[in-house]
Amino acid sequence: MTQIDPFETLADPKRRLIIDALRHGERQVNDIVEVAGIHQSGVSRHLRILHEAGFVTVRPDGQRRLYALKPEPFQELEAWLAGYRQLWEARLDRFGAALERRQQSKEPKA
């Protein structure tokens, strides 16, 4: 089985809309169509891709199929991003310090 790149999976804005629609729990396709504003065939296609990439689960419930997010791929993305967070935070700290110095230099002397 070919490993699907999670960044390629999430690159599609319609798939991100579907993920947003699933953030608050299980939904059936018609609910996702309504929330995401995407045609049913498009939602079904994107759900298949998200399922194959491991982002969603499917649970049969009688005639319905309920879709939900899986936490593992998001945890993996979080772990990958954590390696870069220190770099960003250091830059933001430097920016914040420079901004504070600039604001202090503009304050009128008492």
Side-chain angles (χ1 to χ4, degrees):
M1 185 165 114
T2 304
Q3 180 70 20
I4 300 173
D5 184 326
F7 291 103
E8 287 181 28
T9 302
L10 297 177
D12 189 290
K14 290 182 179 162
R15 285 195 280 273
R16 291 193 308 269
L17 283 173
I18 292 169
I19 285 173
D20 284 344
L22 292 171
R23 281 183 36 202
H24 303 292
E26 284 185 321
R27 291 186 182 262
Q28 60 183 345
V29 172
N30 289 338
D31 294 337
I32 299 168
V33 167
E34 188 176 310
V35 172
I38 304 169
H39 191 271
Q40 191 273 331
S41 62
V43 168
S44 295
R45 181 171 40 90
H46 288 298
L47 282 169
R48 180 183 47 79
I49 293 167
L50 288 165
H51 183 260
E52 289 173 359
F55 280 91
V56 299
T57 60
V58 183
R59 183 176 66 85
D61 181 36
Q63 296 291 340
R64 304 180 316 162
R65 295 169 61 90
L66 297 172
Y67 294 85
L69 294 177
K70 289 178 65 175
E72 296 84 4
F74 296 98
Q75 291 165 346
E76 290 173 20
L77 288 170
E78 172 65 22
W80 183 84
L81 288 170
Y84 296 93
R85 185 170 291 113
Q86 186 176 28
L87 172 68
W88 299 329
E89 288 174 352
R91 288 183 179 175
L92 288 173
D93 288 345
R94 288 193 305 268
F95 176 74
L99 184 59
E100 188 175 319
R101 285 190 304 273
R102 184 174 182 188
Q103 287 174 339
Q104 288 175 352
S105 71
K106 289 185 175 185
E107 289 179 3
K109 303 291 184 202

